CSV table of all heavy atoms in Angstrom, one decimal:
chain,number,residue,atom,x,y,z
A,284,ALA,N,-0.6,13.1,0.5
A,284,ALA,CA,-1.0,11.7,0.0
A,284,ALA,C,-0.2,10.6,0.6
A,284,ALA,O,-0.7,9.4,0.7
A,284,ALA,CB,-0.8,11.8,-1.5
A,285,ASN,N,1.1,10.9,1.0
A,285,ASN,CA,1.9,9.9,1.6
A,285,ASN,C,1.3,9.4,3.0
A,285,ASN,O,1.4,8.2,3.3
A,285,ASN,CB,3.3,10.3,1.7
A,285,ASN,CG,3.5,11.8,2.2
A,285,ASN,OD1,2.5,12.5,2.3
A,285,ASN,ND2,4.7,12.1,2.5
A,286,ALA,N,0.7,10.3,3.7
A,286,ALA,CA,0.1,9.9,5.0
A,286,ALA,C,-1.1,9.1,4.8
A,286,ALA,O,-1.3,8.1,5.4
A,286,ALA,CB,-0.3,11.2,5.7
A,287,ILE,N,-2.0,9.6,3.8
A,287,ILE,CA,-3.3,8.8,3.6
A,287,ILE,C,-3.0,7.5,2.9
A,287,ILE,O,-3.6,6.4,3.4
A,287,ILE,CB,-4.1,9.7,2.7
A,287,ILE,CG1,-4.6,10.9,3.4
A,287,ILE,CG2,-5.4,8.9,2.2
A,287,ILE,CD1,-5.3,11.9,2.5
A,288,LEU,N,-2.1,7.4,2.1
A,288,LEU,CA,-1.8,6.1,1.4
A,288,LEU,C,-1.2,5.1,2.3
A,288,LEU,O,-1.6,3.9,2.2
A,288,LEU,CB,-0.9,6.3,0.2
A,288,LEU,CG,-0.5,5.1,-0.7
A,288,LEU,CD1,-1.7,4.4,-1.2
A,288,LEU,CD2,0.5,5.5,-1.8
A,289,ALA,N,-0.3,5.5,3.2
A,289,ALA,CA,0.2,4.5,4.1
A,289,ALA,C,-0.9,3.9,5.0
A,289,ALA,O,-0.9,2.7,5.2
A,289,ALA,CB,1.2,5.3,5.1
A,290,VAL,N,-1.8,4.7,5.5
A,290,VAL,CA,-3.0,4.2,6.3
A,290,VAL,C,-3.7,3.3,5.4
A,290,VAL,O,-4.2,2.2,5.8
A,290,VAL,CB,-3.7,5.3,6.9
A,290,VAL,CG1,-4.9,4.8,7.7
A,290,VAL,CG2,-2.9,6.2,7.9
A,291,SER,N,-4.1,3.6,4.2
A,291,SER,CA,-5.0,2.9,3.3
A,291,SER,C,-4.4,1.5,3.1
A,291,SER,O,-5.1,0.6,3.0
A,291,SER,CB,-5.2,3.7,2.0
A,291,SER,OG,-6.0,3.0,1.1
A,292,MET,N,-3.1,1.5,2.7
A,292,MET,CA,-2.4,0.3,2.5
A,292,MET,C,-2.5,-0.8,3.7
A,292,MET,O,-2.7,-1.9,3.5
A,292,MET,CB,-1.0,0.5,2.0
A,292,MET,CG,-0.8,1.2,0.7
A,292,MET,SD,0.8,1.6,0.4
A,292,MET,CE,1.7,0.2,0.3
A,293,ALA,N,-2.2,-0.2,4.9
A,293,ALA,CA,-2.3,-1.0,6.1
A,293,ALA,C,-3.8,-1.5,6.2
A,293,ALA,O,-3.9,-2.6,6.7
A,293,ALA,CB,-1.8,-0.2,7.3
A,294,VAL,N,-4.7,-0.7,6.1
A,294,VAL,CA,-6.1,-1.1,6.2
A,294,VAL,C,-6.4,-2.2,5.3
A,294,VAL,O,-7.1,-3.2,5.6
A,294,VAL,CB,-7.1,0.1,6.0
A,294,VAL,CG1,-8.5,-0.4,5.9
A,294,VAL,CG2,-6.9,1.1,7.1
A,295,CYS,N,-5.9,-2.1,4.0
A,295,CYS,CA,-6.1,-3.1,3.0
A,295,CYS,C,-5.6,-4.4,3.4
A,295,CYS,O,-6.2,-5.5,3.3
A,295,CYS,CB,-5.6,-2.7,1.7
A,295,CYS,SG,-6.0,-3.7,0.3
A,296,ARG,N,-4.5,-4.5,3.9
A,296,ARG,CA,-3.8,-5.7,4.4
A,296,ARG,C,-4.6,-6.3,5.6
A,296,ARG,O,-4.8,-7.5,5.7
A,296,ARG,CB,-2.4,-5.4,4.8
A,296,ARG,CG,-1.4,-5.2,3.6
A,296,ARG,CD,0.0,-5.1,4.0
A,296,ARG,NE,0.9,-4.9,2.8
A,296,ARG,CZ,2.2,-4.9,2.9
A,296,ARG,NH1,2.9,-5.0,4.1
A,296,ARG,NH2,3.0,-4.7,1.8
A,297,ALA,N,-5.0,-5.4,6.5
A,297,ALA,CA,-5.8,-5.9,7.6
A,297,ALA,C,-7.1,-6.4,7.2
A,297,ALA,O,-7.6,-7.5,7.7
A,297,ALA,CB,-6.0,-4.7,8.6
A,298,GLY,N,-7.7,-5.8,6.2
A,298,GLY,CA,-9.0,-6.4,5.7
A,298,GLY,C,-8.9,-7.7,5.0
A,298,GLY,O,-9.8,-8.5,5.2
A,299,ALA,N,-7.8,-7.9,4.3
A,299,ALA,CA,-7.5,-9.2,3.6
A,299,ALA,C,-7.4,-10.2,4.7
A,299,ALA,O,-8.0,-11.3,4.5
A,299,ALA,CB,-6.3,-9.1,2.8
A,300,ALA,N,-6.6,-10.0,5.8
A,300,ALA,CA,-6.4,-11.0,6.8
A,300,ALA,C,-7.8,-11.3,7.5
A,300,ALA,O,-8.0,-12.4,7.9
A,300,ALA,CB,-5.4,-10.6,7.8
A,301,SER,N,-8.5,-10.2,7.8
A,301,SER,CA,-9.8,-10.3,8.5
A,301,SER,C,-10.7,-11.2,7.7
A,301,SER,O,-11.5,-12.0,8.3
A,301,SER,CB,-10.5,-9.0,8.7
A,301,SER,OG,-11.7,-9.1,9.5
A,302,MET,N,-10.7,-11.1,6.4
A,302,MET,CA,-11.6,-11.9,5.5
A,302,MET,C,-10.9,-13.3,5.1
A,302,MET,O,-11.5,-14.0,4.5
A,302,MET,CB,-11.9,-11.2,4.2
A,302,MET,CG,-12.7,-9.9,4.5
A,302,MET,SD,-14.3,-10.3,5.2
A,302,MET,CE,-15.1,-11.1,3.9
A,303,GLN,N,-9.7,-13.5,5.7
A,303,GLN,CA,-8.9,-14.8,5.5
A,303,GLN,C,-8.8,-15.0,4.0
A,303,GLN,O,-9.0,-16.1,3.4
A,303,GLN,CB,-9.7,-15.9,6.1
A,303,GLN,CG,-9.9,-15.8,7.6
A,303,GLN,CD,-10.6,-16.8,8.4
A,303,GLN,OE1,-10.8,-17.9,7.7
A,303,GLN,NE2,-10.8,-16.7,9.5
A,304,MET,N,-8.3,-13.9,3.3
A,304,MET,CA,-8.0,-14.0,1.9
A,304,MET,C,-6.6,-13.6,1.6
A,304,MET,O,-6.1,-12.7,2.3
A,304,MET,CB,-8.9,-13.1,1.0
A,304,MET,CG,-10.4,-13.4,1.0
A,304,MET,SD,-11.3,-12.2,0.0
A,304,MET,CE,-13.0,-12.8,0.2
A,305,PRO,N,-6.0,-14.1,0.5
A,305,PRO,CA,-4.7,-13.5,0.0
A,305,PRO,C,-5.0,-12.0,-0.4
A,305,PRO,O,-6.1,-11.7,-0.8
A,305,PRO,CB,-4.3,-14.4,-1.2
A,305,PRO,CG,-5.2,-15.7,-1.0
A,305,PRO,CD,-6.4,-15.3,-0.2
A,306,LEU,N,-4.0,-11.2,-0.3
A,306,LEU,CA,-4.2,-9.8,-0.6
A,306,LEU,C,-4.7,-9.6,-2.0
A,306,LEU,O,-5.6,-8.8,-2.3
A,306,LEU,CB,-2.9,-9.0,-0.4
A,306,LEU,CG,-2.9,-7.5,-0.6
A,306,LEU,CD1,-3.9,-6.9,0.5
A,306,LEU,CD2,-1.5,-6.9,-0.3
A,307,TYR,N,-4.2,-10.3,-3.0
A,307,TYR,CA,-4.6,-10.1,-4.3
A,307,TYR,C,-6.0,-10.5,-4.6
A,307,TYR,O,-6.8,-9.8,-5.3
A,307,TYR,CB,-3.7,-10.9,-5.4
A,307,TYR,CG,-3.8,-12.5,-5.2
A,307,TYR,CD1,-4.9,-13.1,-6.0
A,307,TYR,CD2,-3.1,-13.2,-4.4
A,307,TYR,CE1,-5.0,-14.4,-5.9
A,307,TYR,CE2,-3.2,-14.5,-4.4
A,307,TYR,CZ,-4.2,-15.2,-5.0
A,307,TYR,OH,-4.3,-16.6,-5.0
A,308,GLU,N,-6.5,-11.5,-3.9
A,308,GLU,CA,-7.9,-11.9,-4.0
A,308,GLU,C,-8.8,-10.9,-3.3
A,308,GLU,O,-9.9,-10.6,-3.9
A,308,GLU,CB,-8.0,-13.3,-3.4
A,308,GLU,CG,-9.6,-13.8,-3.5
A,308,GLU,CD,-9.7,-15.2,-2.9
A,308,GLU,OE1,-8.7,-15.8,-2.4
A,308,GLU,OE2,-10.9,-15.7,-2.8
A,309,TYR,N,-8.4,-10.4,-2.2
A,309,TYR,CA,-9.1,-9.4,-1.5
A,309,TYR,C,-9.3,-8.1,-2.3
A,309,TYR,O,-10.5,-7.6,-2.4
A,309,TYR,CB,-8.5,-9.1,-0.1
A,309,TYR,CG,-9.2,-8.1,0.7
A,309,TYR,CD1,-10.4,-8.4,1.4
A,309,TYR,CD2,-8.7,-6.8,0.9
A,309,TYR,CE1,-11.1,-7.5,2.1
A,309,TYR,CE2,-9.3,-5.9,1.7
A,309,TYR,CZ,-10.6,-6.2,2.3
A,309,TYR,OH,-11.2,-5.2,3.0
A,310,ILE,N,-8.2,-7.7,-2.9
A,310,ILE,CA,-8.3,-6.5,-3.7
A,310,ILE,C,-9.2,-6.6,-4.9
A,310,ILE,O,-10.1,-5.8,-5.4
A,310,ILE,CB,-6.9,-6.1,-4.3
A,310,ILE,CG1,-6.1,-5.5,-3.0
A,310,ILE,CG2,-6.9,-4.9,-5.3
A,310,ILE,CD1,-4.7,-5.3,-3.4
A,311,ALA,N,-9.2,-7.8,-5.6
A,311,ALA,CA,-10.1,-8.1,-6.6
A,311,ALA,C,-11.5,-8.2,-6.2
A,311,ALA,O,-12.5,-7.6,-6.9
A,311,ALA,CB,-9.8,-9.6,-7.2
A,312,ASN,N,-11.8,-8.7,-5.0
A,312,ASN,CA,-13.1,-8.8,-4.4
A,312,ASN,C,-13.7,-7.4,-4.1
A,312,ASN,O,-14.8,-7.1,-4.5
A,312,ASN,CB,-13.0,-9.5,-3.1
A,312,ASN,CG,-14.4,-9.9,-2.5
A,312,ASN,OD1,-15.4,-10.5,-3.1
A,312,ASN,ND2,-14.6,-9.4,-1.3
A,313,ILE,N,-12.9,-6.5,-3.5
A,313,ILE,CA,-13.5,-5.2,-3.2
A,313,ILE,C,-13.5,-4.3,-4.4
A,313,ILE,O,-14.3,-3.3,-4.4
A,313,ILE,CB,-12.7,-4.5,-2.0
A,313,ILE,CG1,-11.2,-4.2,-2.5
A,313,ILE,CG2,-12.8,-5.2,-0.7
A,313,ILE,CD1,-10.4,-3.4,-1.5
A,314,ALA,N,-12.8,-4.7,-5.5
A,314,ALA,CA,-12.9,-4.0,-6.7
A,314,ALA,C,-14.1,-4.4,-7.6
A,314,ALA,O,-14.4,-4.0,-8.6
A,314,ALA,CB,-11.6,-4.0,-7.4
A,315,GLY,N,-14.7,-5.5,-7.1
A,315,GLY,CA,-15.9,-6.1,-7.9
A,315,GLY,C,-15.4,-6.9,-9.1
A,315,GLY,O,-16.3,-7.1,-10.0
A,316,ARG,N,-14.2,-7.4,-9.0
A,316,ARG,CA,-13.7,-8.2,-10.1
A,316,ARG,C,-14.0,-9.7,-9.7
A,316,ARG,O,-14.1,-10.1,-8.6
A,316,ARG,CB,-12.1,-8.0,-10.3
A,316,ARG,CG,-11.7,-6.6,-10.6
A,316,ARG,CD,-12.3,-6.1,-11.9
A,316,ARG,NE,-11.8,-6.8,-13.0
A,316,ARG,CZ,-12.0,-6.6,-14.3
A,316,ARG,NH1,-13.0,-5.8,-14.5
A,316,ARG,NH2,-11.4,-7.3,-15.2
A,317,PRO,N,-14.1,-10.6,-10.8
A,317,PRO,CA,-14.2,-12.0,-10.5
A,317,PRO,C,-13.0,-12.6,-9.8
A,317,PRO,O,-12.0,-12.2,-10.1
A,317,PRO,CB,-14.5,-12.6,-11.9
A,317,PRO,CG,-13.8,-11.6,-12.9
A,317,PRO,CD,-14.0,-10.3,-12.3
A,318,THR,N,-13.4,-13.5,-8.9
A,318,THR,CA,-12.3,-14.1,-8.1
A,318,THR,C,-12.3,-15.6,-8.4
A,318,THR,O,-11.5,-16.3,-7.7
A,318,THR,CB,-12.6,-13.8,-6.6
A,318,THR,OG1,-13.9,-14.4,-6.3
A,318,THR,CG2,-12.5,-12.4,-6.3
A,319,ASP,N,-12.9,-16.1,-9.4
A,319,ASP,CA,-12.8,-17.6,-9.6
A,319,ASP,C,-11.8,-18.0,-10.6
A,319,ASP,O,-11.4,-19.1,-10.8
A,319,ASP,CB,-14.2,-18.1,-10.3
A,319,ASP,CG,-14.7,-17.2,-11.5
A,319,ASP,OD1,-14.1,-16.1,-11.7
A,319,ASP,OD2,-15.4,-17.8,-12.3
A,320,LYS,N,-11.2,-17.0,-11.3
A,320,LYS,CA,-10.1,-17.2,-12.2
A,320,LYS,C,-9.1,-16.0,-12.2
A,320,LYS,O,-9.5,-14.9,-12.4
A,320,LYS,CB,-10.7,-17.5,-13.7
A,320,LYS,CG,-9.6,-17.9,-14.7
A,320,LYS,CD,-10.3,-18.2,-16.0
A,320,LYS,CE,-9.3,-18.7,-17.1
A,320,LYS,NZ,-9.9,-18.9,-18.3
A,321,TYR,N,-7.8,-16.4,-12.2
A,321,TYR,CA,-6.8,-15.4,-12.1
A,321,TYR,C,-5.8,-15.6,-13.4
A,321,TYR,O,-5.5,-16.7,-13.8
A,321,TYR,CB,-6.0,-15.3,-10.9
A,321,TYR,CG,-6.9,-15.0,-9.6
A,321,TYR,CD1,-7.5,-16.0,-8.9
A,321,TYR,CD2,-7.2,-13.6,-9.3
A,321,TYR,CE1,-8.2,-15.7,-7.9
A,321,TYR,CE2,-8.1,-13.3,-8.3
A,321,TYR,CZ,-8.5,-14.3,-7.6
A,321,TYR,OH,-9.4,-14.0,-6.5
A,322,MET,N,-5.2,-14.5,-13.8
A,322,MET,CA,-4.2,-14.6,-14.8
A,322,MET,C,-3.0,-13.8,-14.3
A,322,MET,O,-3.0,-12.8,-13.7
A,322,MET,CB,-4.7,-13.9,-16.1
A,322,MET,CG,-3.7,-13.9,-17.2
A,322,MET,SD,-4.3,-13.1,-18.7
A,322,MET,CE,-5.6,-14.2,-19.2
A,323,MET,N,-1.8,-14.4,-14.5
A,323,MET,CA,-0.5,-13.8,-14.1
A,323,MET,C,-0.3,-12.5,-14.9
A,323,MET,O,-0.5,-12.5,-16.1
A,323,MET,CB,0.6,-14.8,-14.2
A,323,MET,CG,0.6,-16.0,-13.3
A,323,MET,SD,1.0,-15.4,-11.6
A,323,MET,CE,2.8,-14.9,-11.7
Side-chain angles (χ1 to χ4, degrees):
N285 42 351
I287 294 173
L288 180 58
V290 175
S291 180
M292 291 168 63
V294 169
C295 190
R296 290 184 174 185
S301 180
M302 296 299 291
Q303 301 178 8
M304 292 181 179
L306 185 58
Y307 69 88
E308 182 180 356
Y309 179 72
I310 292 175
N312 185 59
I313 62 178
R316 305 292 295 176
T318 58
D319 57 337
K320 186 178 181 180
Y321 296 97
M322 181 179 295
M323 288 292 291

